[in-house]
Amino acid sequence: MIVDGIEDEEKWLAEGIAAIQQNAFFMLRAVDSDNLREALKYSAQMLSELRTSKLSPHKYFELYMRAFDELRKLELFFKDESRHGVPVSDLYELVQHAGNVLPRLYLLCTVGSVYIKSKEASCKDLLKDLVEMCRAVQHPIRGLFLRSYLCQVTRDKLSDIGPEYEGVDDFVMDAVDFVLQNFTEMNKLWVRLQHQISGLQGPVRVKEKREKERNELRDLVGKNLHILSQIEGVDLEMYRDTVLPRILEQIVNAKDELAQHYLMDCIIQVFPDEYHLQTLDILLAACPQLQPTVDIKTVLSQLMERLSNYAASSMEVLPEFLQVEAFAKLNNAIGKVIEVQVDMPIVGAITLYTSLLMFTLRVHPDRLDYVDLVLGACVRKLSGKPKLEDSRATKQIIALLSAPLDKYNDAVTALTLSNYPRIMDYLDNDTNKIMAMVIIQNILKNYTCISTADQVEALFELIKGLIKDIDGSPVDELDEEDFKEEQNSVARLIHMLYNDDPDEMLKIICTVQRHIMSGGQRRLPFTVPPLVFSALKLVRRLQGQDGEADGEEAPASPKKIFRLMNQTIDALSFVPSPDLALRLYLQCAEAASDCDLEPMAYEFFTQAFILYEEDIADSKAQFTAIHLIIGTLQRMNVFGVENRDTLTHKATGYSAKLLKKADQCRAVYACSHLFWVDDHDGSRDGERVLLCLKRSLRIANAAQQMASVTRGSSGPVTLFVEILNKYLYFFEKGNPQVPTSAIQGLVELIRTEMQSDTSTTDLATAAFFSSTLRYIQYQKQKGGVMGEKYDPVKL
């Protein structure tokens, strides 16, 4: 075996090729002259070059191919008896007088193929003679290539046994025996060569080269199985009774890891899938007998993939019992392999169960009991072990758990599998979250509706890694973007929980509320809002129902839901997230108003004002909050005079206490809408509207004076223009407390301020004022009632 001296090896190869070319030249010249003796002489000399032991398998292959090409030409000469004048039977004897055994056997194989084709002798005897004589060469490399040549020159005679071979008794069986015997001998040579290669030492580069050469020689052995599969007479019965048992016997007896893995893979690849399905018990029985180091998971995974594809495409013609038996046999075989190979890594076992699950989902999609059975077997394998940390194993677990989701496109189906959540318990926290995201994305993608509280309970148990901290893992360690993506997915999921029955829907809301309340303060701003809006949808469905009964068993009612939401939103004040809590309180207040529940609406407003007073300190947040309060209160019609006065007084008071004068002004004139509501009688108080407008005007004046003191200029008159527009609004609405004189005076005030030397009127304010004046002019010119009202205003 050559392990070093690459330059020397190249030199020896070049010398060998040169000698082959030289002898081939004289051989072909003798062939052209129909000189059999000279042709045999030079062909033997040419083939003597294959006796070398100096070349590696890869280089030897190059030398062999040069000789092979020349032997094909010689074979054509042997076929034409009219040229050399010697009967093929005599020629078969003649070539056996060659001096060296290797050239003699190459020539014997070449003539033997011609002899078989001529049908002048028993095919059985010739094939047996050839395969037995090749035993004379036991050098691994030379023997493998010699037997490979024997396969090559006889394969066309074996694969076609039609009319040409009629009358030849049991030719199919003879051909099978020949190929199997040749396969057996080649397998022995290959295993011996592998042991020789494995025992050699060398650098990484040399080891990689050996691995490549080993694969090239492996394919020579596998060629026998390919030829065997091409013999037309090898039917299912012969394959089951003869071919497969003998091949498996050789594989098991080889006791070589690489040989066993490769040859098992060859069987799966070259023979029909129908044969595998019918002989599954025989093939699987050999698996536990293989070497413990054989990558049996890959072999069985390929087998199950092929079987599932075949079964799925032939579902209509395959008997049901065959499909059921296939699952039972595969499940049993995997169990035995895992039991025998005690050192099999956990990733190997999980991969096998994943492949079996894929097969089950493909062949038995309606048998959820089979699916759960596979998951249960995986649970038993994982039992007693700590949470998985091997990335390859966790990747396979994700594939295992994702398979039912991808098959059924319905997460509800996965929720019915008792072993599904048990497997997730063996995942580490990060992988658990990944799987939870897979489940949620599947639900969102397929618009799956989770419609019962029990299903929600089971679902939230599966995705608990996203809803709360597991085993004390702190949420603060998470990447901010990843955390937001996870929680937004949970929020979207909550909207997929729905049932037409109000009582069941309330149970769903209660179940979600119980889970998200344990999620920690950081998650609540993401999960509480969708829960509240889901509850408000239910409230609007129940609008008009009193529902005085209380307790868990009481029927769903708006009051019951509002009490639950009050508790839920209150949790946001501890996050703290007062802005969000205030918005949700106002949403609930408006919903309570629609249900004509004044006490509930007042309570929600009370909570909103408490949040405003105690928790909202930022001036911008206060300005936004007071506008939300004013807008919500203005739309509500449920309050009596006393409650409404209390709330409007609060809103007006808080508006006047804002930090910035401009914010005060805008909030106060916004409060004017609280006293003039078009849609409801008894909600029009012109005097209080005017009070709000006058108060906002005083605040605007104060802002101008403050700007004059601090900056030396009176500042922009934007606030005055905004107040003018409010005057116009209430003037057109028919408020008798807003006379044209007030509008006239405000127009003149703005003009005076804009023309003042200390004014800093900006272009936007000037455009705003001009637009307002054009509107007044338009109303004056339009005529009618409104035109008459505007007529006293002088522009």
Side-chain angles (χ1 to χ4, degrees), residues 176 179-180 224-231 234 243 247 271:
V176 168
V179 177
L180 286 174
N224 289 276
L225 300 184
H226 180 71
I227 293 173
L228 202 55
S229 68
Q230 299 299 310
I231 299 177
V234 179
V243 175
I247 295 175
F271 289 104

Side-chain angles (χ1 to χ4, degrees), residues 772-783 787 795:
T772 304
L773 294 180
R774 284 196 302 271
Y775 176 78
I776 296 173
Q777 186 65 37
Y778 168 75
Q779 293 293 352
K780 288 167 64 70
Q781 294 173 354
K782 188 170 65 171
L795 301 178

Side-chain angles (χ1 to χ4, degrees), residues 87-241:
V88 69
S89 57
D90 295 342
L91 188 58
Y92 189 72
E93 296 291 334
L94 182 61
V95 296
Q96 297 187 43
H97 295 291
N100 292 307
V101 66
L102 189 65
R104 180 193 314 155
L105 292 175
Y106 270 103
L107 290 173
L108 191 66
C109 292
T110 306
V111 177
S113 70
V114 176
Y115 203 177
I116 294 172
K117 192 75 173 177
S118 70
K119 297 178 290 185
E120 295 181 12
S122 168
C123 295
K124 176 181 179 179
D125 293 340
L126 286 172
L127 291 173
K128 184 177 180 181
D129 194 36
L130 290 173
V131 77
E132 289 290 344
M133 285 191 176
C134 286
R135 286 187 175 180
V137 179
Q138 290 297 311
H139 185 278
I141 297 179
R142 294 198 291 265
L144 279 170
F145 280 96
L146 171 63
R147 289 188 175 276
S148 175
Y149 179 72
L150 176 60
C151 282
Q152 192 68 31
V153 296
T154 57
R155 65 181 301 172
D156 58 326
K157 287 81 180 176
L158 301 177
S159 60
D160 183 6
I161 58 169
E164 186 178 358
Y165 289 99
E166 285 185 7
V168 180
D169 296 337
D170 300 324
F171 180 78
V172 175
M173 196 64 210
D174 297 339
V176 168
D177 286 338
F178 165 74
V179 177
L180 286 174
Q181 188 172 353
N182 196 54
F183 161 73
T184 301
E185 295 299 327
M186 289 185 74
N187 191 42
K188 292 177 181 178
L189 292 170
W190 180 41
V191 171
R192 192 192 314 160
L193 178 64
Q194 284 192 104
H195 288 301
Q196 293 178 3
I197 294 177
S198 301
L200 297 175
Q201 302 297 322
V204 174
R205 178 175 57 86
V206 175
K207 292 181 179 179
E208 292 176 351
K209 179 183 176 185
R210 292 176 193 154
E211 183 66 25
K212 181 180 178 182
E213 292 172 346
R214 181 157 41 196
N215 292 338
E216 291 173 349
L217 295 174
R218 177 192 68 184
D219 293 338
L220 297 180
V221 181
K223 187 189 298 182
N224 289 276
L225 300 184
H226 180 71
I227 293 173
L228 202 55
S229 68
Q230 299 299 310
I231 299 177
E232 293 184 7
V234 179
D235 56 13
L236 175 60
E237 182 180 357
M238 180 177 290
Y239 176 78
R240 181 187 62 236
D241 298 338

Side-chain angles (χ1 to χ4, degrees), residues 569-581:
I569 299 172
D570 185 58
L572 287 175
S573 61
F574 300 101
V575 173
S577 186
D579 299 350
L580 178 58

